[in-house]
Amino acid sequence: MTVLAADWTWDGARFVSGVRVAIDAQGDIEAVGPEAGAGRPVTALAGRALLPGFVNAHSHAFQRGLRGRGERFPAGAGSFWTWREAMYALVDALTEDELRRLASQAFREMLAAGITTVGEFHYVHHGSADWSLDRALIEAAADTGIRLVLLQVYYRTGGIGRPLEPAQRRFDGRSPEVFWRRMDELQGELDPARCTLGCAPHSIRAVPIDELAELFAEARRRELVVHAHVEETRREIEECVAATGRRPLELLLERLDLDEGFTAVHGTHTTADDLARLAERGATLCLCPTTEGNLGDGLPRLAPGLTAPVALGSDSNARISMLEEMRWAEYGQRLVHEARGVLTEAGGVLGRRLLGMATEGGARALGVAAGRIAPGHRADLVEIDLGAAELDGWTPETLPEALALGAGERVIAGVRVGGRRPPR
Ligand SMILES: [Zn+2]
């Protein structure tokens, strides 16, 4: 059992001093307060602020292997679709060992960036044997010590009504029956204290709508969260409208009983009305600002003061920094609206909203009891070095904005996942 006492502790709304965090033997937070863990030895974290570990709600770890690649454009301007060709070339050469290596690299960088939970949207399943890459990914998470929510992807078509392309065969979910059998196997293999499952029908272009509706209903019956890519590119919307007369999210809202267990990833070209309808269902929107910028996908236009649940993801892992995702979530909206302070809470508070997206918002999307320093939550924590030059001049009131807008990974002094330091 551990009792931590940092100079300042984030309570979800503000930094407070004189607070201790008591962690039980299972790695959960037992108590928080001035007297928490009374009678036990206290580990003083001098010069540190304690935040909930960041939750990365959307990652494709293997794409870490593309960093610095696909960034030359001899044939003229590229797009998501030209980038996808480079990504498929990486997939083609991906072995179990290579996935384990790339995922371990990505997960270590995440831990160094203060990320303690990753939602891994995992779609490259088949290697030397069917589903053999699933195991490599789970091992990479266990080896590095990050908490994993394995968002097991179902992928069936190479576009609406089109068969899989040869490059997509390693993604094949086969059928809903085979997919759920695989989910049952995975459930039996995982350590539920460190790794849980979610269901991820890839997108409207990769899953027929009838199967998507069936997967969603079964996943929610099992109380699993459901994530899907939604309206990342204009072409996806055009093809869906041509085939069905509906935009992708419009179709999902019509056919699925979307609820708080659903997360729409991107929503880059989603209409304001559809975003509002998504929010009415209690569903989460997951933004991946650095990846959307890298791919040139565009920017959503979010309503100023939007109160709907929002999570953040590092997606392609071209850069791994939750601080930067927070910053660019807001900066992207500033550039769209030509105004400052778009992603604010009531009273115009910015930092709390951005920190909330990187912690509670992600935890909600992934269905994990993390993202808060409160009893009953996992003791997933990140320590901030208050002596870091980048934060010089901070006050308890300005620290959220100083972190979200002004800081980089040098301020991250370490993390705990389930109360434990990850192995080095
Ligand atoms: Zn993605």
Side-chain angles (χ1 to χ4, degrees), residues 228-296:
H229 291 128
V230 176
E231 302 185 351
E232 179 176 11
T233 65
R234 293 187 194 279
R235 187 169 118 188
E236 172 193 333
I237 299 177
E238 286 158 12
E239 289 181 359
C240 188
V241 170
T244 70
R246 301 274 189 282
R247 297 180 299 279
L249 186 55
E250 200 179 13
L251 194 60
L252 295 179
L253 284 159
E254 200 171 280
R255 292 290 307 276
L256 278 54
D257 214 0
L258 295 184
D259 61 7
E260 73 286 349
F262 181 71
T263 294
V265 182
H266 299 302
T268 308
H269 301 286
T270 300
T271 65
D273 278 357
D274 286 351
L275 279 177
R277 290 162 71 202
L278 184 73
E280 271 166 32
R281 304 277 187 101
T284 298
L285 177 68
C286 180
L287 305 174
C288 307
T290 64
T291 294
E292 287 146 7
N294 181 277
L295 297 180

Side-chain angles (χ1 to χ4, degrees), residues 58-60 63 80 83 121 123 202 229 232 265-266 288 291 315-316:
H58 188 75
S59 157
H60 309 284
Q63 292 175 14
F80 170 88
W83 169 86
F121 198 100
Y123 59 90
H202 181 275
H229 291 128
E232 179 176 11
V265 182
H266 299 302
C288 307
T291 294
D315 197 0
S316 71

Side-chain angles (χ1 to χ4, degrees), residues 59-75:
S59 157
H60 309 284
F62 80 93
Q63 292 175 14
R64 173 63 183 78
L66 285 175
R67 187 176 295 176
R69 296 165 193 265
E71 300 289 353
R72 293 184 187 188
F73 308 94

